[in-house]
Amino acid sequence: MVETLSLNVSIPSINVEHNFIVPVDMSVEIAVSLMLQTLSEEYPGVHKRPIKGNNLIQRKTGKLLTSGCSFKQLGVMQGDDLVLV
C-alpha cells in the first residue's frame, strides 16, 4: 500500500485553498503538475503556466520545495500547509 500525505494547499492567485492527497514518494514537480491539472478542471478560467513557473512553498518555514525531490526527502509532514505560486 502506498503511503500518502494530506496537504493543505493555498493558491493565492485564485484565492482558494484545497486539500490534496499525494504519495510521500511523489516528486514535487509531478504533484504540482497534477495540482494544476485539477485546478484547471475545477476552475476553467484558470490558465496554467508552464511547470517551471509554478512552485510549492512550505508555509511554516517559507522554504521553496525542490521540484526534483519527493515530499519524503524534503521532510514534508502530514497536514502541512503549502502555498502554490
Side-chain angles (χ1 to χ4, degrees), residues 5 16 24 27 50-52 61 70 73 81:
L5 293 171
V16 171
V24 296
S27 74
I51 188 66
K52 298 297 181 197
T61 63
S70 71
Q73 290 171 313
D81 291 316

Side-chain angles (χ1 to χ4, degrees), residues 47-66:
H47 300 286
K48 71 178 183 180
R49 296 185 303 179
I51 188 66
K52 298 297 181 197
N54 296 101
N55 296 293
L56 281 175
I57 298 171
Q58 198 170 26
R59 189 179 299 226
K60 68 182 174 189
T61 63
K63 180 174 93 171
L64 179 69
L65 299 182
T66 307

